[in-house]
Structures are given as structure tokens and as C-alpha cells.
Amino acid sequence: GENVEQHPSTLSVQEGDSAVIKCTYSDSASNYFPWYKQELGKGPQLIIDIRSNVGEKKDQRIAVTLNKTAKHFSLHITETQPEDSAVYFCAATSSGGYQKVTFGTGTKLQVIP
Amino acid sequence: EPEVTQTPSHQVTQMGQEVILRCVPISNHLYFYWYRQILGQKVEFLVSFYNNEISEKSEIFDDQFSVERPDGSNFTLKIRSTKLEDSAMYFCASSATEPNQPQHFGDGTRLSIL
């Protein structure tokens, strides 16, 4: 089955700096990669996603890149703000609307004001 | 914005007792899921449900677990005889009809087994 590795496990940045979280996946059949933000006491909230036919996607301060050959994908947050502090999970799933999502191990991001 | 709602937010149960966790998915979604998150760990897939049947389940989802869509709005997870290791956050999710549409998660039920 699919295995998703995520690094780093914790990340502290100064407000205004950029944060990068990196993930690798094992199953070449995976073709959809969502990123979730989880705040304390809440469920995972989708913040951005990317499909395997696209190499990069951007939404305001958040961008994701995908390298299918290397099976790597990354989340980039620019101009970080204290409200970006949360746990971020990368995930992967293969085709089919009912397929399970395999989550990475999570990155706890702390943005220091 | 439509959201997935879960009740209760916290459930405390004695070991060996049955527990039912309830979810109301987003109204026009047809795919439903349960995930589990043990404290401090990653979110793990339990089961997916479509067209009134299980479409996929993980090795965690053994005979003690069952899911049901008893009416047009609710989706439930039942654990028949709870064990200490069932203590976790349980998240319900739903997604729309097309493949690879994002799954939207509820805020979870914290299950504590004593």
C-alpha cells in the first residue's frame, strides 16, 4: 500500500519568513495530493491540493510543487503569519472518488511573532 | 460553507461497552469515510462507504467495527466491544461524486476508553 513520509516533524520560523514542508510517496499510482491544516481540537482542513498532471499550484501565500518522477511533493508558505501555526499533513490518494487518503506523519509549524 | 458535523465531541466509555459515533456528512456528498487519530500520531484510514456498502477498509477495521447509513443524513461508526487501544480521535469525512474530489473532515469525536 501507499506510504507517505513527511519532513520535518517540527518547524519554527519567524513571522514573515517562508516555511517549506516536504513529502515523499511510494505508490506510483497515486495521482491526487491534498494538504491539510489541523488546528488544536479541530479536524483536518483542506488548504490546497495538486493533481499528478500539474507540476505546481499556487493560492495566495501557499504553493505546492509535485515531482512525479522522484515522487516528491512540497508545501511552501510565504510571508508566514502567527495564524499559520498548526499541524500540517500531506496526503496521497490514487484514482477513484472512494479511495482512502494516506496521510503523512505531520509537521508542527510554529510561527514566532 | 457546508460542513461535516460529528457528535458527540467527547465520548467516555467503559472497556467492553459498545459505542456509536455519529456524523452528518455534507448533504450532496455520496462518499463517506471514517479515520482515526491516536494522540500525537498521524490520521489513519479506517473505512470508506459508497452506495450503502463498504468500498474499502483497513486492517484496523476488524469485526468489532461496523458502519451504517441509517437514513438520508446520518453516517455512523459502531465499535461493538471497546478496548483501551480504541481511545483516539475519530474523524468522519465526505466527498462529492467525481473521482479525486477533496474529502472534507468534521472536527472529530474524542473517544476515551476507561
Side-chain angles (χ1 to χ4, degrees):
Chain A
E2 175 64 278
N3 183 48
V4 178
E5 300 284 340
Q6 182 172 349
H7 300 281
S9 57
T10 60
L11 180 59
S12 291
V13 299
Q14 292 289 330
E15 181 178 358
D17 287 351
S18 295
V20 179
I21 301 171
K22 298 184 178 183
C23 292
T24 60
Y25 62 98
S26 62
D27 188 351
S28 56
S30 290
N31 59 4
Y32 175 65
F33 305 91
W35 284 86
Y36 288 89
K37 175 183 181 182
Q38 187 178 30
E39 296 175 324
L40 199 60
K42 298 284 190 179
Q45 180 186 15
L46 180 77
I47 56 171
I48 196 167
D49 56 14
I50 190 167
R51 301 178 193 280
S52 59
N53 59 346
V54 174
E56 184 172 354
K57 182 177 178 180
K58 190 173 181 180
D59 182 5
Q60 299 183 337
R61 296 186 296 108
I62 296 174
V64 290
T65 59
L66 171 65
N67 182 330
K68 281 193 299 182
T69 304
K71 297 183 190 161
H72 289 173
F73 58 117
S74 301
L75 176 73
H76 303 250
I77 306 174
T78 58
E79 300 171 28
T80 53
Q81 301 167 3
E83 51 265 39
D84 294 330
S85 296
V87 178
Y88 291 80
F89 290 97
C90 61
T93 186
S94 56
S95 60
Y98 50 84
Q99 292 292 324
K100 69 176 184 181
V101 173
T102 300
F103 283 79
T105 46
T107 296
K108 185 174 182 180
L109 174 64
Q110 181 184 20
V111 180
I112 303 166
Chain B
E1 184 177 325
E3 58 182 29
V4 176
T5 57
Q6 292 185 242
T7 56
S9 57
H10 190 191
Q11 174 78 46
V12 181
T13 301
Q14 291 288 332
M15 185 172 60
Q17 296 296 305
E18 175 183 286
V19 66
I20 297 176
L21 309 183
R22 303 181 191 278
C23 169
V24 178
I26 294 173
S27 61
N28 64 341
H29 285 184
L30 295 180
Y31 296 93
F32 313 112
Y33 314 83
W34 283 100
Y35 290 80
R36 180 182 82 174
Q37 186 179 32
I38 294 171
L39 186 65
Q41 298 185 23
K42 67 177 178 180
V43 179
E44 299 175 288
F45 170 80
L46 291 178
V47 65
S48 58
F49 190 87
Y50 171 71
N51 200 24
N52 281 321
E53 60 182 27
I54 291 173
S55 48
E56 188 174 2
K57 60 182 181 179
S58 72
E59 59 275 8
I60 303 169
F61 195 88
D62 62 22
D63 291 344
Q64 295 298 315
F65 291 87
S66 62
V67 290
E68 191 178 31
R69 186 152 164 83
D71 52 44
S73 59
N74 290 283
F75 180 51
T76 62
L77 174 69
K78 181 193 290 186
I79 309 175
R80 261 179 279 279
S81 179
T82 50
K83 303 188 273 288
L84 292 176
E85 53 265 37
D86 294 327
S87 296
M89 283 291 289
Y90 288 81
F91 293 105
C92 173
S94 68
S95 64
T97 54
E98 292 79 22
N100 287 338
Q101 288 302 301
Q103 294 180 21
H104 296 265
F105 285 73
D107 284 337
T109 292
R110 177 169 298 284
L111 178 62
S112 299
I113 307 300
L114 304 179

